[in-house]
Amino acid sequence: MQVSLKWLRDYVDVDLSPEELADRLTMSGLEVDSLNRIEPAFSGVRVARIVSIKPHPHAEQLSLCEVTTGDATYPVVCGAKNIHAGDIVPLAPVGAILPAGDLIRSARIRDEVSEGMLCSEEELGIGGDASGIMLLPSDFPLGKGLAEALDLRDAVLDIGVTPNRSDCLSIVGVAREVAAITGKTLRYPVAVVMENDEDIRRITSVSIEDPDLCPRYTARIIKNVRIGPSPLWIRRRLEAVGLRSINNIVDVTNFVMMELGQPLHAFDFRFLAEGRIVVRRSRACETFVSLDGKEHTLGADTLMICDGVKPVAIGGVMGGLNSEVKEETGTILLESAYFNPASIRRTARALAMGTDAAFRFERGIDPEGVVRALDRAAGLMAELSGGTVCRGMIDQYPGTVATVRDIPLRVKRVRDILGTAVPEEEIVRILKSLEMEIDQRGNGVIHVTPPTCRVDITREIDLIEEVVRLHGYDRVPTTLPAVSVIAVGRIDEQRKTEAWLREIMTGAGYTEVINYSFIPSVAVDQLGLDAADERRRHVRIRNPLTEEQAVMRTTMVYSLLRNAARNADVGRFDLKIFETGRTFIGMGAGKQPREQNRAAFLTTGRRYEERWHFSDLQADFYDLQGCVENILDLLRIPAPSFRAGVHEPFLHPGKSCGVFSGEEQVGFLGEVHPDILSRMSLTGPVVVCEIDLDLLTAKYSTKTTFRAIPRFPSSSRDVAFLIRLGVEAGELLRTATDSAEELLEKVQIFDVYEGKNIPVGTRSLGLRFSYRSTDRTLTDDEVNEVHARIVKKIVHASGASIR
């Protein structure tokens, strides 16, 4: 809502600077988003009087004018024909600057000297009239700057009005707030309606067929109007709040809407068939062409304003092209009505017509302000167009719009809510300043009836909010609540698991991302999921925003691949990201989906940032495997392992594995299949992992075991095994660790080799065994004995041989 400070001062005295006023309004709940100062686009232009006019001796279309500013007289060559001796006009003398940036200089025009320029509204940038020189009021003081004489400087407050404060969608509404804040008196605009003797009921009639959608409809007739431009004062008011001047009749409807918050509409009475108004619902598939020239196909519940034959306006939204005011219009039917807010909101959304009128109607206007706005507009129309208002008005009000009365406000409750005592007298003063009716019955209870314009006040808590915002939020002391016992909250295991995971992944250089839980339905096809895969059982969104968000995700891998594709589109090919969230598996009609907490990871591109001491190393399977190992180790997940043979259709079959705890799979890990990368417009390799956080949380052990630092040295043995290509290294490691040999401290892989000097179909796997005792230094014989037993078990279990 844009509020002109100059316009605001018509209704309330404002002694504050624009900045101070903006601060006071913001602190009272009307946040001022911006403050813009309006300055004239010209400088140096002064008020002058034409002393004499005579023909130019060398040009028939030009005149020689002698113009005075009171302290100096200037010769000016002018081509306008609308000026006469004695007229008060704007003079741009030598040195003045016009809006286009033109500097006025002394010139000779057809051998005659011109020391300035007489200006039109358009040349001054204060109006669209270019037909002649702008004529000023005769009482303007000569020599005064035109900007000061016309009072063109202004400040405009852009107020972010919240949806509940429809009363502040008008200049008078904001003036009411300013009066309450500053203690000033609000001046309402006076409606002066001079009626003729012709009774309106002999000319027109109004019938309401749907009073539930239109509880009140009022109308007046203005005859003998002359359509033309509005005077400068009304144009300046409208332009200051962002509205374009159209003509004197339409401008009045916009002026009163901005002034009082009541939208109005003017019909050309010639085009109203049978000379009457019928308010009804539209018929299914009925068409209508609005003022903006667009044709709309209506549903069966749109409120329409019709004449005796056809629709002429969409009620509360926009008028029709078939009844708009034209240059030759002579009689106006002026509408002022109250429409059901829900109906207007539904219609405006359905037709995508967010007009200024709909914006106000859908939030709720003052049902008792309808007639006041009607009279105000009718009087202005008659004044500005030279027309006359027919006697009487039509006021169809079949039912009363419900308004709130007698809300009990407990003084003690105000103190309890605010945490500070506000005297009853102060509460009464604040509420009265907002035009609320007060009935003090004693016992610390005030009975309050809000004005009908305050549709947002319905409960005691609403009144308390009014009290505190005008009393001052800054006057409410800051205190800490009194707490007798402080209970330490228990962090649930799920959150703890996620916290550990985040710590490890961010420490490894990964960035956490947050994606929507919605994906396109084609995602399962892009990932190549089998027909029997449960991840094809989507939960479909009933009203998705886009097809890209049509279903709930059943896997988190797709979203990370889309993240990678978007990054690749902007040239970022090095990526390390992870996400925690939920997946949703459909369980059939009428059943809740199965929700699972999961974590997903993705890495692609370089392993490290580009540095002089790093070679161009690419991230691979083992980088992400190491992160997962750290997670499983930190959570103390029992018997973790990585096993091949787990089928995921979007992973490369030779470069992927399942993540296990004992015999239970908790996730998968691997490179994305080249076919899938091609579908996603990606180049590889891209490594992804997804793990089940619910399973990890269930297996997470809070038990911590400590061991003393070893006092005795360890002894190691290296063995190179020849194994078939199908045998997993993990099988050998598990055999060793499951051997129950007390002296075995750890076993790890130190070498993997395939190629020359070993049989085809095999690989060499080098394992290093470390042995240690907690109470003595081991002898070679002790180590060799234990080592031999372990190697024998490995050879027997895996079919390996020793190189």
Side-chain angles (χ1 to χ4, degrees):
M1 173 68 189
Q2 296 190 60
V3 177
S4 160
L5 186 56
K6 187 188 301 181
W7 196 352
L8 188 69
R9 286 184 171 131
D10 290 344
Y11 315 113
V12 63
D13 295 327
V14 181
D15 301 329
L16 304 173
S17 69
E19 290 78 12
E20 291 173 328
L21 178 60
D23 182 65
R24 295 285 295 274
L25 285 172
T26 298
M27 291 303 296
S28 69
L30 291 181
E31 184 175 0
V32 177
D33 294 330
S34 63
L35 171 61
N36 302 310
R37 292 187 178 272
I38 297 177
E39 297 287 342
F42 58 82
S43 65
V45 181
R46 302 169 66 187
V47 177
R49 185 180 73 249
I50 299 176
V51 177
S52 65
I53 301 177
K54 60 183 179 181
H56 193 293
H58 308 299
E60 295 182 1
Q61 301 300 317
L62 301 178
S63 301
L64 299 180
C65 303
E66 189 178 0
V67 184
T68 181
T69 58
D71 56 355
T73 302
Y74 303 85
V76 177
V77 177
C78 181
K81 303 301 182 183
N82 68 317
I83 51 177
H84 305 85
D87 285 345
I88 305 299
V89 294
L91 169 67
V94 174
I97 300 176
L98 297 184
D102 298 327
L103 175 66
I104 302 300
R105 296 182 172 85
S106 178
R108 295 188 69 86
I109 303 176
R110 296 290 185 93
D111 295 331
E112 295 292 335
V113 175
S114 181
E115 296 291 338
M117 174 180 172
L118 304 184
C119 305
S120 67
E121 287 184 1
E122 184 182 57
E123 290 166 333
L124 293 170
I126 59 176
D129 188 358
S131 60
I133 301 303
M134 181 181 184
L135 301 179
L136 302 175
S138 59
D139 60 348
F140 272 23
L142 297 183
K144 189 171 186 178
L146 184 66
E148 289 73 26
L150 291 176
D151 193 18
L152 295 179
R153 291 182 174 84
D154 197 1
V156 177
L157 307 175
D158 190 355
I159 300 177
V161 180
T162 52
N164 63 311
R165 292 303 304 274
S166 60
D167 61 299
C168 289
L169 293 175
S170 67
I171 305 296
V172 168
V174 176
R176 185 186 298 112
E177 290 291 306
V178 173
I181 293 169
T182 61
K184 303 292 185 179
T185 301
L186 177 65
R187 299 184 296 271
Y188 280 96
V190 178
V192 179
V193 183
M194 304 296 293
E195 298 179 337
N196 61 23
D197 294 332
E198 190 172 7
D199 191 343
I200 187 175
R201 297 187 181 277
R202 294 181 177 273
I203 304 172
T204 189
S205 65
V206 173
S207 62
I208 301 176
E209 295 183 2
D210 284 284
D212 55 329
L213 300 187
C214 176
R216 190 174 193 181
Y217 192 100
T218 67
R220 274 192 179 274
I221 295 288
I222 303 97
K223 284 193 167 185
N224 303 318
V225 301
R226 293 188 300 276
I227 307 300
S230 297
L232 181 62
W233 68 269
I234 198 169
R235 282 184 279 142
R236 296 294 295 177
R237 292 285 192 269
L238 293 176
E239 289 167 3
V241 297
L243 295 179
R244 179 175 58 90
S245 175
I246 299 174
N247 58 52
N248 50 0
I249 298 299
V250 176
D251 287 355
V252 165
T253 62
N254 288 331
F255 178 87
V256 174
M257 177 183 69
M258 296 305 300
E259 180 183 59
L260 298 176
Q262 169 68 53
L264 304 143
H265 188 69
F267 297 98
D268 188 327
F269 192 71
R270 295 175 301 166
F271 302 123
L272 299 182
E274 301 178 8
R276 64 192 182 98
I277 291 291
V278 178
V279 184
R280 63 167 174 83
R281 294 177 191 258
S282 60
R283 303 180 181 94
C285 298
E286 190 170 16
T287 59
F288 179 74
V289 180
S290 53
L291 275 172
D292 55 7
K294 296 180 180 179
E295 182 174 341
H296 304 275
T297 301
L298 309 173
D301 59 349
T302 303
L303 183 67
M304 302 300 295
I305 311 300
C306 307
D307 58 21
V309 175
K310 63 186 182 299
V312 292
I314 302 174
V317 179
M318 186 179 287
L321 197 63
N322 57 7
S323 59
E324 71 170 329
V325 174
K326 302 179 181 294
E327 290 185 5
E328 62 275 13
T329 297
T331 300
I332 295 292
L333 185 143
L334 178 62
E335 164 197 288
S336 180
Y338 179 90
F339 299 114
N340 181 291
S343 169
I344 302 304
R345 187 180 306 114
R346 184 171 56 248
T347 297
R349 299 298 183 274
L351 300 178
M353 299 176 72
T355 62
D356 288 332
F359 188 77
R360 286 161 173 78
F361 278 127
E362 69 184 16
R363 283 160 172 76
I365 62 167
D366 182 0
E368 301 305 319
V370 171
V371 172
R372 178 174 58 190
L374 179 74
D375 288 344
R376 172 69 166 159
L380 285 173
M381 284 183 182
E383 176 186 342
L384 300 183
S385 70
T388 57
V389 182
C390 293
R391 176 164 49 87
M393 73 174 74
I394 293 176
D395 185 2
Q396 292 292 341
Y397 201 1
T400 303
V401 178
T403 55
V404 178
R405 299 190 62 83
D406 196 16
I407 305 173
L409 173 62
R410 295 163 290 175
V411 176
K412 181 179 180 299
R413 185 62 175 164
V414 175
R415 183 185 67 244
D416 293 343
I417 291 293
L418 303 185
T420 187
V422 180
E424 184 172 343
E425 297 75 17
E426 173 70 1
I427 295 174
V428 170
R429 184 196 65 77
I430 289 173
L431 297 179
K432 282 186 175 180
S433 71
L434 294 170
E435 301 184 345
M436 300 191 190
E437 296 179 12
I438 303 298
D439 182 5
Q440 291 177 268
R441 304 178 187 178
N443 299 323
V445 179
I446 305 170
H447 291 262
V448 183
T449 297
T452 53
C453 63
R454 291 302 302 271
V455 298
D456 60 312
I457 298 179
T458 59
R459 305 166 298 165
E460 181 184 42
I461 194 66
D462 299 328
L463 295 173
I464 295 174
E465 182 181 0
E466 295 301 296
V467 170
V468 67
R469 71 182 186 85
L470 290 180
H471 177 69
Y473 292 109
D474 55 337
R475 296 175 63 186
V476 177
T478 301
T479 58
L480 293 175
V483 180
S484 57
V485 178
I486 299 179
V488 179
R490 177 179 179 272
I491 301 176
D492 63 75
E493 301 303 328
Q494 176 71 38
R495 292 179 181 273
K496 194 178 296 184
T497 302
E498 292 183 10
W500 284 120
L501 184 145
R502 286 190 178 93
E503 183 173 330
I504 289 174
M505 297 308 295
T506 54
Y510 284 70
T511 300
E512 184 173 9
V513 299
I514 300 176
N515 291 299
Y516 287 114
S517 297
F518 316 123
I519 58 174
S521 57
V522 297
V524 292
D525 296 321
Q526 289 183 289
L527 292 177
L529 298 183
D530 300 332
D533 196 314
E534 69 171 10
R535 288 171 293 189
R536 280 189 168 274
R537 301 206 302 263
H538 283 140
V539 177
R540 183 166 293 277
I541 306 301
R542 183 173 296 174
N543 55 342
L545 295 177
T546 68
E547 282 303 312
E548 289 295 306
Q549 299 178 352
V551 298
M552 304 296 287
R553 64 187 176 191
T554 55
T555 176
M556 300 181 68
V557 167
Y558 179 82
S559 298
L560 295 190
L561 290 173
R562 291 294 301 270
N563 293 148
R566 282 192 288 267
N567 277 269
D569 288 342
V570 295
R572 290 181 57 90
F573 300 101
D574 305 323
L575 201 62
K576 293 181 177 181
I577 56 176
F578 75 97
E579 180 180 15
T580 61
R582 289 187 176 185
T583 58
F584 305 83
I585 304 296
M587 304 304 291
K591 296 181 180 180
Q592 291 291 331
R594 186 176 80 245
E595 299 183 31
Q596 295 174 298
N597 292 292
R598 303 183 76 83
F601 319 97
L602 178 147
T603 183
T604 185
R606 284 184 296 226
R607 178 176 297 167
Y608 308 111
E609 291 184 9
E610 189 173 4
R611 295 286 189 275
W612 66 269
H613 56 290
F614 284 143
S615 59
D616 191 18
L617 295 175
Q618 297 294 304
D620 59 18
F621 174 94
Y622 298 103
D623 290 286
L624 198 49
Q625 182 190 18
C627 292
V628 176
E629 285 178 337
N630 288 338
I631 293 171
L632 299 178
D633 181 62
L634 186 62
L635 296 176
R636 295 181 287 278
I637 302 301
S641 63
F642 299 86
R643 303 180 191 176
V646 174
H647 172 67
E648 288 292 344
F650 47 82
L651 297 183
H652 195 297
K655 301 179 180 180
S656 61
C657 66
V659 182
F660 284 81
S661 172
E663 297 303 316
E664 187 171 19
Q665 184 177 352
V666 296
F668 56 81
L669 167 67
E671 283 191 17
V672 179
H673 197 285
D675 290 346
I676 306 301
L677 293 178
S678 177
R679 295 174 194 171
M680 303 288 290
S681 302
L682 283 168
T683 57
V686 176
V687 184
V688 297
C689 173
E690 184 172 308
I691 56 179
D692 190 327
L693 285 182
D694 292 328
L695 285 178
L696 290 190
T697 302
K699 293 177 177 293
Y700 167 58
S701 174
T702 58
K703 183 179 180 180
T704 303
T705 302
F706 296 93
R707 290 189 305 175
I709 296 174
R711 296 168 54 195
F712 300 97
S714 65
S715 181
S716 63
R717 299 289 188 271
D718 292 346
V719 181
F721 294 93
L722 278 178
I723 60 174
R724 299 186 310 275
L725 290 180
V727 176
E728 296 181 16
E731 183 178 338
L732 278 69
L733 295 175
R734 284 192 296 275
T735 301
T737 55
D738 293 345
S739 63
E741 294 288 350
E742 183 181 351
L743 297 181
L744 179 65
E745 184 176 49
K746 64 181 178 180
V747 59
Q748 60 190 30
I749 301 171
F750 72 86
D751 180 60
V752 178
Y753 175 73
E754 294 179 43
K756 295 180 180 179
N757 302 323
I758 65 172
V760 177
T762 64
R763 68 160 62 95
S764 174
L765 182 68
L767 298 185
R768 177 164 295 149
F769 301 83
S770 295
Y771 301 93
R772 191 193 304 267
S773 173
T774 60
D775 57 6
R776 68 188 186 280
T777 300
L778 296 174
T779 65
D780 284 342
D781 291 341
E782 289 178 301
V783 172
N784 291 338
E785 183 180 350
V786 174
H787 180 66
R789 288 199 298 267
I790 295 174
V791 170
K792 183 177 180 180
K793 289 179 181 179
I794 292 175
V795 170
H796 177 73
S798 65
S801 61
I802 300 174
R803 288 182 64 186

